[in-house]
């Protein structure tokens, strides 16, 4: 059986923070604000995986009120979600995603993001889609107030 999930996340830009997207640190004058490392792309992928498994959302598993997740490395959170699925006989099939950011240019970093994410997801990079688009100057992303990420995924489920 194949299941499909969708995820979406937004983080606002903030001074004196690292910009981390898709598990990769990207040189930029600002980073994203958040309780964890604020990796909006990984958060959207986590929600897509959890959604495909009907296992709630990122906030229910890693609450931002819990000090354990302060500054958390989102790559580790993703690995925990993949393990959670594996316990239930589920594994990622493929992921596709879009990051909306006016700046910086993300395209040069996408190959590394795909490598990082595919190794955590346990699937080849050719099953990890990442696209980047600007906001055409419109909305919060276009005004460079923050970054949005959308993700869809499939997971395969072992028949019982
Ligand atoms: Mg988030």
């Amino acid at each position: 059986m194949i299941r499909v999930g969708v995820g979406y996340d937004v983080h606002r830009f903030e001074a004196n923070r690292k910009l981390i997207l898709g598990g990769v640190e990207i040189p930029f004058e600002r980073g994203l604000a958040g309780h964890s490392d604020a990796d909006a792309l990984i958060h959207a992928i986590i929600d897509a995986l959890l959604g495909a498994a009907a296992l709630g959302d990122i906030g229910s598993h890693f609450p931002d009120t819990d000090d354990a997740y302060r500054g958390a490395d989102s790559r580790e959170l993703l690995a925990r979600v993949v393990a959670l699925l594996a316990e239930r006989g589920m594994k990622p099939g493929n992921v596709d995603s879009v990051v909306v950011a006016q700046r910086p240019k993300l395209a040069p970093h996408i190959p590394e993001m795909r490598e990082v994410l595919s190794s955590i997801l346990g699937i080849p990079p050719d099953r990890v889609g990442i696209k980047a688009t600007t906001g055409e100057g419109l909305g919060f992303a276009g005004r460079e107030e923050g970054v949005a990420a959308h993700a869809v995924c499939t997971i395969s489920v072992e028949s019982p």
Side-chain angles (χ1 to χ4, degrees), residues 36-117:
S36 67
D37 64 7
D39 188 328
L41 175 54
I42 288 188
H43 294 179
I45 291 170
I46 285 175
D47 264 355
L49 292 168
L50 290 172
L55 285 172
D57 64 16
I58 188 170
S60 60
H61 289 269
F62 313 112
D64 64 7
T65 49
D66 188 336
D67 266 354
Y69 304 115
R70 185 179 301 281
D73 182 335
S74 295
R75 294 173 300 184
E76 286 170 19
L77 305 184
L78 178 59
R80 288 170 61 168
V81 168
V82 172
L84 202 73
L85 297 189
E87 286 166 16
R88 290 163 175 77
M90 301 175 181
K91 58 181 186 187
N94 76 301
V95 171
D96 191 20
S97 61
V98 186
V99 182
V100 189
Q102 193 67 32
R103 280 199 316 137
K105 245 199 171 348
L106 299 177
H109 305 283
I110 286 177
E112 189 182 352
M113 292 180 194
R114 293 176 67 206
E115 289 290 337
V116 168
L117 294 178

Side-chain angles (χ1 to χ4, degrees), residues 1 11 21 23 30 50 60 81 93 103 107 143-144 146-147:
M1 182 189 177
H11 282 267
L21 286 168
R30 289 175 297 166
L50 290 172
S60 60
V81 168
R103 280 199 316 137
R143 291 190 298 267
E144 299 183 25
V147 167

Side-chain angles (χ1 to χ4, degrees), residues 15-32:
N16 305 312
R17 292 267 302 180
K18 287 179 181 169
L19 177 59
I20 297 169
L21 286 168
V24 172
E25 189 177 335
I26 296 165
F28 192 52
E29 72 246 22
R30 289 175 297 166
L32 294 172

